[in-house]
Amino acid sequence: MREKTVLVTGANKGIGFGIAKYLGLSGWKVIIGARDEERAEKAISELKSLGIDVPGWVNIELADLASVQQAANEVNEKYPELTLLVNNAGIPGDMSVDGGHTELSDIKETIDVNFIGTFALTKELLPLLEKNSGRIVNVTVPSEISPYWHPLAYVASKAAQNAMMGVMAMEFVQGNKPVEIFSVHPGPTTTDLNGNMSLPGFHDIETVGSKMAQLINDGNSHQGEFIELYPIVKED
């Protein structure tokens, strides 16, 4: 059986940690992508205490393209068996303002991390994933605008990420390339990103991490799909 090795970005906390945990518990070797050594080591310690195989962590600062290149080089060198990239890391942008009051600097910063940095990492690791018949999974939100929650910088950055997924999936199929890409919307989840918001319909990291691992491990092709684990629904 082929060894299963995954790099999860932003895996030191939140949904990323939940994904890393439940993939690890299901037999994956987990590489932690993070930008803070102390938080990365804390996550590794906790995962290892559960019996999860964590060979180490990679320092990735998605806002810094030199950091992304260095991280990709390290992954190629240390983990040539990589078969799965989970693009989870991201920043929220300023969720307290409406679209007309969103600062241009906030739009740029959010897109730099959530789209440009994510694309750069994906691009750099693509040859390795193609060689290993691997997969890319993006943690994202719908491009369609929800009337209930629509912070402009964040939604715009994720819409670009969704476009990246759709274009790449089509090209993988057209080029008959042995690599798969799809996107997953976890649904409303209580995390640091939203200030640990907890409202009716929200789920916790354990629930989302477990369901995400089940999806990744289901043995089916999800090429080009946008999958909602828990769609946003209007509360009565």
Side-chain angles (χ1 to χ4, degrees):
M1 183 178 176
R2 183 175 68 160
E3 188 175 63
K4 300 185 297 183
T5 301
V6 57
L7 168 64
V8 183
T9 65
N12 57 284
K13 64 178 182 176
I15 290 174
F17 181 81
I19 294 169
K21 175 180 176 179
Y22 284 94
L23 283 177
L25 289 172
S26 66
W28 286 80
K29 179 187 290 185
V30 179
I31 305 157
I32 301 295
R35 55 180 179 172
D36 182 276
E37 182 174 7
E38 185 177 343
R39 290 201 296 259
E41 293 294 350
K42 183 176 182 293
I44 290 171
S45 177
E46 188 171 341
L47 293 173
K48 284 186 172 180
S49 74
L50 299 171
I52 295 170
D53 185 356
V54 188
W57 76 289
V58 177
N59 189 312
I60 304 175
E61 174 51 77
L62 291 174
D64 180 353
L65 294 180
S67 170
V68 172
Q69 182 67 65
Q70 184 175 341
N73 291 344
E74 185 176 344
V75 171
N76 274 285
E77 180 182 340
K78 292 185 177 178
Y79 311 108
E81 74 282 6
L82 185 76
T83 48
L84 174 63
L85 168 63
V86 177
N87 285 317
N88 165 78
I91 60 174
D94 186 351
M95 295 190 172
S96 69
V97 296
D98 63 22
H101 293 91
T102 301
E103 296 289 344
L104 286 175
S105 58
D106 186 45
I107 295 281
K108 184 178 186 305
E109 180 184 14
T110 308
I111 289 177
D112 278 348
V113 172
N114 295 358
F115 173 57
I116 294 175
T118 295
F119 169 71
L121 181 64
T122 301
K123 183 176 185 291
E124 292 301 325
L125 292 178
L126 189 55
L128 180 60
L129 290 165
E130 186 175 345
K131 176 185 174 184
N132 294 335
S133 300
R135 287 180 289 169
I136 302 156
V137 179
N138 297 328
V139 179
T140 182
V141 299
S143 296
E144 295 78 14
I145 308 304
S146 165
Y148 317 115
W149 184 84
H150 44 256
L152 179 58
Y154 187 75
V155 172
S157 70
K158 291 297 187 176
Q161 199 179 97
N162 292 339
M164 175 190 88
M165 184 278 292
V167 169
M168 284 187 165
M170 184 178 294
E171 291 172 346
F172 293 161
V173 172
Q174 291 175 340
N176 197 29
K177 295 183 177 181
V179 61
E180 179 181 314
I181 185 169
F182 61 98
S183 294
V184 180
H185 174 217
T189 308
T190 302
T191 69
D192 288 351
L193 185 140
N194 55 33
N196 292 306
M197 184 184 296
S198 183
L199 297 171
F202 273 61
H203 296 86
D204 60 26
I205 290 163
E206 297 290 316
T207 302
V208 169
S210 175
K211 192 159 185 178
M212 180 76 86
Q214 291 174 26
L215 174 64
I216 289 170
N217 290 325
D218 70 7
N220 298 322
S221 172
H222 296 291
Q223 182 77 277
E225 293 182 10
F226 180 92
I227 300 166
E228 294 196 84
L229 297 186
Y230 296 103
I232 297 174
V233 295
K234 182 179 179 180
E235 297 297 327
D236 294 329

